[in-house]
Amino acid sequence: NDNGLIVEYETGVLAKIQYNPHFYHSYNHPVKTKADLKNFKLPDPADPARYAGFAEDAKYLKSKGEYVLGSLNGFYSALHYFVMDYENTLMALLLDPELIQALLEMVGEWNLIAARKMIEAGADCIAFCDDLGNKQSMMMSPDQYRRFFKPWHKRLCDLVHDAGGRVHIHSHGAITPILDDFVDCGFDFVNPFDPEEGFDIEHVLKQYSEHFVVVGGLPTSFWDWEIERQEQYIEKLAGLGKKY
């Protein structure tokens, strides 16, 4: 209707998107327990129809001097957006690790194939989102990240690097405990390093700018500031970027 829509995704998940006030809610997730895996199937990530027009678009953008990103669902985010609701995903990390592992085998392999296809079609970089924290802490323990998600992050980086591409991860939240793991994985770009999530952007640049491109540094409240304050902050960030 005039104030929103309901979108159906390929896994059967429905998302209600309301414009004013802004509201997003996903529901009808297909998996709740291991028994549901019998009837759960992902679409074919190698289907050529999925990439129709991709190579042409990439070629055109490159002809204009653009750096081409291929957008991929994350690994953690793919679970709670498209497979299992957020509460069940978080509980399963603790109570049903076998279910998480089984789902990651499906989602993870899907992502690797899709990433390879996009690089082959001309993407310079694969960009994806796995928001692993909130403003106070991570959404899981560092050990859980290392057990479930880091292996897939590393496999993605290795695959894309072998194909001549780069990898950009977006991960909101207080994720300082796993930044060294991001270095191990081989991420080329990491964002957003929101100061309101506990980051000192100069410290991050000192510590990590030799390992990956530090992207972001804007606080969430930036968009509510007066324009002069925004300009001053951007100048400060640019100065730090030049310094490091």
Side-chain angles (χ1 to χ4, degrees):
N1 58 40
D2 291 342
N3 194 35
L5 70 159
I6 294 175
V7 177
E8 182 177 5
Y9 291 99
E10 289 175 298
T11 59
V13 167
L14 300 175
K16 180 181 180 181
I17 303 165
Q18 179 178 287
Y19 301 144
N20 188 25
H22 176 70
F23 177 76
Y24 178 100
H25 174 64
S26 57
Y27 57 101
N28 201 46
H29 294 80
V31 175
K32 294 179 178 61
T33 67
K34 283 196 285 288
D36 296 322
L37 293 180
K38 296 176 183 177
N39 299 316
F40 178 61
K41 186 178 180 181
L42 292 171
D44 180 5
D47 181 357
R50 303 191 73 86
Y51 309 96
F54 194 108
E56 293 81 358
D57 287 349
K59 183 178 179 181
Y60 172 79
L61 290 167
K62 289 184 178 184
S63 76
K64 301 297 181 181
E66 297 288 346
Y67 189 73
V68 179
L69 301 183
S71 183
L72 188 72
N73 294 323
F75 297 83
Y76 175 55
S77 64
L79 295 187
H80 67 76
Y81 275 121
F82 305 113
V83 180
M84 191 162 56
D85 71 40
Y86 212 149
E87 293 85 352
N88 285 341
T89 301
L90 290 174
M91 287 190 291
L93 284 169
L94 288 170
L95 304 176
D96 201 349
E98 289 183 5
L99 174 59
I100 295 293
Q101 294 283 27
L103 287 172
L104 280 172
E105 285 292 329
M106 300 173 73
V107 168
E109 292 294 346
W110 199 103
N111 278 347
L112 296 182
I113 294 170
R116 178 172 53 80
K117 288 290 185 182
M118 286 190 283
I119 292 292
E120 290 174 352
D124 297 301
C125 178
I126 297 299
F128 76 99
C129 167
D130 266 346
D131 282 332
L132 295 165
N134 58 37
K135 288 190 176 184
Q136 289 76 40
S137 66
M138 292 185 59
M139 301 301 294
M140 63 194 75
S141 73
D143 285 343
Q144 285 174 318
Y145 166 74
R146 292 169 190 136
R147 175 182 179 183
F148 294 112
F149 302 104
K150 181 179 178 179
W152 289 102
H153 285 173
K154 186 163 191 337
R155 284 183 66 182
L156 175 68
C157 288
D158 289 347
L159 180 149
V160 173
H161 290 160
D162 287 347
R166 299 289 180 262
V167 183
H168 180 139
I169 182 173
H170 167 93
S171 188
H172 261 295
I175 60 169
T176 299
I178 60 170
L179 287 179
D180 288 340
D181 295 287
F182 282 10
V183 174
D184 290 343
C185 289
F187 289 121
D188 303 286
F189 304 86
V190 180
N191 87 67
F193 295 110
D194 182 343
E196 293 176 4
E197 294 173 344
F199 290 104
D200 177 334
I201 193 65
E202 184 163 11
H203 174 75
V204 172
L205 285 163
K206 281 181 181 177
Q207 193 91 0
Y208 292 104
S209 60
E210 292 185 3
H211 299 287
F212 51 72
V213 178
V214 176
V215 184
L218 294 176
T220 305
S221 59
F222 175 87
W223 312 106
D224 300 320
W225 294 356
E226 295 292 330
I227 188 90
E228 290 181 3
R229 186 182 177 193
Q230 289 180 334
E231 289 174 348
Q232 290 172 358
Y233 191 82
I234 290 291
E235 288 176 1
K236 176 185 173 183
L237 280 184
L240 289 172
K242 290 176 183 177
K243 182 177 179 180
Y244 295 100

